[in-house]
Amino acid sequence: GDSVTQMEGPVTLSEEAFLTINCTYTATGYPSLFWYVQYPGEGLQLLLKATKADDKGSNKGFEATYRKETTSFHLEKGSVQVSDSAVYFCALSGNASWGKLQFGAGTQVVVTP
Amino acid sequence: DTGVSQDPRHKITKRGQNVTFRCDPISEHNRLYWYRQTLGQGPEFLTYFQNEAQLEKSRLLSDRFSAERPKGSFSTLEIQRTEQGDSAMYLCASSTTSGGSYNEQFFGPGTRLTVL
């Protein structure tokens, strides 16, 4: 079945450092890919998405490119802030018409001043 | 609209008791999803509704679990004869539908269940 694997955390960074969180997936067909973020004490929020190969999703300075050849969707941000401290989840939907989500285990990111 | 709401936010129960959780989706959303999240893991799909019809259930949803959405608005998730392994965060999400394109799922804050 479909699955998502993402790098384990916690990832600890200094403010203004470059962030990469690796995500790879296994799926049949052409899934849609997502990054969700969970800030402390808050619910899951969609951060960005890409629905076909080579699409780049971007939001709040974060980017991820749907790479079908490597089955990857790595999340990057060029300069993190303390407010980016959160748990980040990579997810896929194997059927875009109804959107059941398959999540990775999550990566905690801690940004220190 | 205030987003997806869930009630209660926390529930502590003894093993063997029944519990029921409620989810109120965003008002115009016709799809509603339940997920379960255990510590250190990502959410796992349990079931989903389109309007009042329950269209899919995960094999994670044992016979002790039942979900309803009687009028196509709020939904309830009941767990009978709770077990310690049921301890988790139960998340609800809702979305609209529009043709074949993806529609963002909006998540509620979750109900944290602790089974003693």
Side-chain angles (χ1 to χ4, degrees):
Chain A
D2 296 349
S3 66
V4 176
T5 302
Q6 59 183 106
M7 63 189 283
E8 291 187 14
V11 174
T12 304
L13 303 164
S14 298
E15 209 165 19
E16 299 184 3
F18 184 86
L19 170 68
T20 298
I21 304 175
N22 291 339
C23 171
T24 57
Y25 68 90
T26 302
T28 55
Y30 301 92
S32 297
L33 301 174
F34 311 90
W35 278 100
Y36 276 78
V37 59
Q38 189 168 35
Y39 298 104
E42 298 185 17
L44 279 166
Q45 302 173 27
L46 179 64
L47 180 60
L48 54 84
K49 68 176 188 275
T51 57
K52 61 183 187 295
D54 299 325
D55 268 1
K56 177 185 284 189
S58 61
N59 187 24
K60 299 181 180 180
F62 289 89
E63 293 183 339
T65 301
Y66 186 171
R67 301 290 189 196
K68 188 165 178 62
E69 63 276 13
T70 55
T71 62
S72 65
F73 192 55
H74 304 321
L75 183 68
E76 297 181 337
K77 186 174 185 181
S79 177
V80 294
Q81 305 299 313
V82 172
S83 57
D84 294 323
S85 297
V87 181
Y88 293 81
F89 293 92
C90 186
L92 70 80
S93 175
N95 182 331
S97 67
W98 63 267
K100 162 187 163 182
L101 293 168
Q102 177 76 42
F103 287 87
T107 302
Q108 183 179 11
V109 173
V110 178
V111 181
T112 58
Chain B
D1 189 275
T2 57
V4 178
S5 62
Q6 293 187 244
D7 184 69
R9 295 289 304 276
H10 303 274
K11 179 69 177 179
I12 299 173
T13 191
K14 293 182 179 179
R15 189 176 56 187
Q17 298 296 304
N18 299 345
V19 295
T20 300
F21 311 141
R22 177 180 170 124
C23 171
D24 287 89
I26 293 171
S27 58
E28 66 269 22
H29 285 186
N30 60 345
R31 284 185 179 155
L32 187 147
Y33 306 80
W34 285 99
Y35 293 84
R36 181 173 68 186
Q37 185 177 16
T38 54
L39 198 61
Q41 299 298 315
E44 297 173 292
F45 170 77
L46 292 178
T47 188
Y48 99 100
F49 293 83
Q50 180 153 318
N51 300 314
E52 65 276 10
Q54 187 174 19
L55 297 187
E56 182 165 339
K57 295 192 293 186
S58 162
R59 63 182 181 277
L60 293 175
L61 215 64
S62 76
D63 291 345
R64 296 184 297 104
F65 288 70
S66 63
E68 295 183 342
R69 195 182 182 198
K71 297 182 179 178
S73 56
F74 73 92
S75 176
T76 58
L77 177 67
E78 180 183 16
I79 309 174
Q80 296 182 328
R81 305 180 303 282
T82 53
E83 303 172 355
Q84 288 183 325
D86 297 331
S87 296
M89 179 76 85
Y90 290 84
L91 298 172
C92 177
S94 69
S95 73
T96 59
T97 56
S98 61
S101 64
Y102 176 78
N103 296 286
E104 179 181 350
Q105 291 182 33
F106 292 81
F107 282 81
T111 294
R112 182 169 294 285
L113 173 66
T114 302
V115 181
L116 302 176

